[in-house]
Amino acid sequence: MHKMKKNILMLIPQLGFGGAEKSFIRLANFLCNYHNITIALFDNNYKGYSETNVSDQLDNRIEIKYLGSKGNMFTRWVKRWNLFRKLKKSSDVSISFLSGTNLLNALSGTNTLTIISERGSRKNDIN
């Protein structure tokens, strides 16, 4: 029996900084063998680091969408919430990694299956 491919939306602030991002890329590459994957990022240039530095690590079947970073903090979050909610409504599953994106995923309020993955802790982060 052949199962239908699901549309999976994955959310993370940026790619390429650490272990959570590496796990995220591995999961996205694995899932794209079985499902349609779209990655949503806050911006294509996060704190001076461009995701294009790691795009060659992503399977070329994965689509990348940017939620934007223009405006003050409140404006950015409203824009991201609206864009993410629109993407999520057309998805079967949404998966997020890390605190800020987990909050956005949880508050986007659709009937889409929502998976939240908290990776690590800021508890011992001296910065």
Side-chain angles (χ1 to χ4, degrees), residues 31-81:
L31 289 174
C32 82
N33 292 314
Y34 307 98
H35 303 287
N36 303 314
I37 304 299
T38 300
I39 291 177
L41 301 174
F42 280 176
D43 195 19
N44 64 336
N45 188 350
Y46 184 84
K47 294 185 179 178
Y49 183 89
S50 173
E51 68 78 20
T52 57
N53 296 332
V54 294
S55 62
D56 62 336
Q57 297 173 13
L58 286 171
D59 190 289
N60 63 3
R61 295 172 288 178
I62 297 172
E63 184 177 6
I64 298 176
K65 300 280 188 177
Y66 301 105
L67 302 180
S69 63
K70 302 283 189 242
N72 64 37
M73 186 185 299
F74 178 76
T75 304
R76 283 193 312 264
W77 275 95
V78 169
K79 286 179 184 177
R80 288 173 181 165
W81 184 82

Side-chain angles (χ1 to χ4, degrees), residues 88 92-96 102 105-106 108-116:
K88 192 171 176 178
D92 300 303
V93 178
S94 67
I95 303 170
S96 58
N102 285 343
N105 194 7
S108 61
T110 68
N111 289 331
T112 303
L113 176 63
T114 301
I115 300 170
I116 292 173

